[in-house]
């Protein structure tokens, strides 16, 4: 087991307060939230050395969080979407949404099949008792549905997301 095993990452998306509490507990201001029947869209600036803006869709029905990291030049050129697998829910009684990342991630580079990463993290977390068997199995099923769904749409992840949610999953450049 590696020294990097960690509990599932959790975030809070406080729509009324226009904030996002990230997985390290930092409170981040949000520029835009949009609540839809299929999920929650968030757009916020980022003070990260590799990216300056983050867009995310929490898609509870798919068990996915779809992200676009707006990278500075030279970082992850070609990456379009980054999909987190997990449990996403909301709104609660206070208008907040919640995310629990179940380790598996999918990387979308247009023109190539989705790449599944961090399988080792899922196994290590399960072995360490940080994620139960039911959640681990669900994570694998979610990732498998995404891989198959994208493949059925000629690896166009955006098209698959639109079909799977029954709505256009739009981004900042679309607005």
């Amino acid at each position: 087991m590696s020294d990097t095993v960690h509990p599932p990452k959790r975030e809070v998306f406080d729509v009324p307060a226009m904030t996002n509490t990230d997985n390290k507990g930092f409170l981040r201001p949000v520029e835009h939230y949009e609540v839809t029947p299929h999920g929650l869209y968030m757009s916020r600036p980022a003070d990260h050395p590799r990216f300056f803006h983050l867009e995310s869709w929490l898609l509870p029905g798919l068990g996915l969080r779809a992200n676009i990291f707006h990278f500075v030049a030279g970082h992850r050129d070609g990456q379009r979407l980054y999909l987190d697998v997990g449990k996403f829910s909301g709104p609660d009684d206070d208008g907040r949404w919640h995310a629990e990342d179940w380790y598996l991630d999918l990387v979308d580079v247009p023109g190539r099949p989705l790449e599944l990463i961090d399988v080792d993290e899922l196994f290590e977390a399960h072995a360490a008792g940080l994620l139960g068997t039911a959640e681990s199995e669900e994570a694998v099923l979610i990732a498998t549905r995404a891989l198959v769904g994208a493949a059925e749409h000629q690896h166009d992840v955006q098209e698959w997301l639109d079909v799977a949610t029954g709505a256009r999953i739009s981004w900042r450049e679309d607005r």
Side-chain angles (χ1 to χ4, degrees):
M1 192 173 307
S2 74
D3 294 333
T4 60
V5 67
H6 58 80
K9 295 176 181 175
R10 292 177 174 86
E11 290 191 49
V12 177
F13 301 81
D14 191 331
V15 176
M18 295 296 290
T19 60
N20 166 225
T21 304
D22 72 13
N23 59 17
K24 294 184 175 124
F26 293 108
L27 190 66
R28 309 285 185 182
V30 171
E31 287 180 353
H32 183 74
Y33 273 126
E34 182 178 339
V35 177
T36 70
H38 53 276
L40 175 71
Y41 171 78
M42 177 194 74
S43 177
R44 71 167 175 81
D47 58 350
H48 194 278
R50 287 177 281 184
F51 62 94
F52 58 91
H53 199 89
L54 171 63
E55 293 180 81
S56 292
W57 270 101
L58 302 185
L59 302 167
L62 298 179
L64 294 171
R65 175 181 177 179
N67 304 285
I68 291 182
F69 295 92
H70 294 271
F71 289 104
V72 298
H75 289 280
R76 296 204 184 176
D77 294 331
Q79 177 179 302
R80 168 83 170 127
L81 298 174
Y82 191 94
L83 306 174
D84 296 303
V85 170
K87 181 179 178 183
F88 307 97
S89 62
D92 64 16
D93 291 341
D94 295 318
R96 291 184 296 246
W97 290 62
H98 301 270
E100 183 176 275
D101 186 319
W102 288 346
Y103 305 96
L104 295 180
D105 299 303
L106 298 144
V107 180
D108 171 40
V109 175
R112 298 197 322 213
L114 268 176
E115 178 185 3
L116 176 64
I117 62 172
D118 298 334
V119 174
D120 58 331
E121 288 186 23
L122 174 66
F123 288 149
E124 289 174 358
H126 182 262
L130 297 171
L131 196 65
T133 299
E135 292 85 1
S136 298
E137 288 176 357
E138 183 64 19
V140 170
L141 291 173
I142 291 165
T144 301
R145 280 193 298 268
L147 289 163
V148 170
E152 289 175 342
H153 292 307
Q154 291 69 51
H155 306 295
D156 186 332
V157 178
Q158 181 68 54
E159 181 179 312
W160 171 71
L161 286 171
D162 293 349
V163 170
T165 60
R168 174 76 177 132
I169 301 299
S170 64
W171 303 95
R172 196 166 76 161
E173 66 263 16
D174 300 333
R175 296 173 190 275

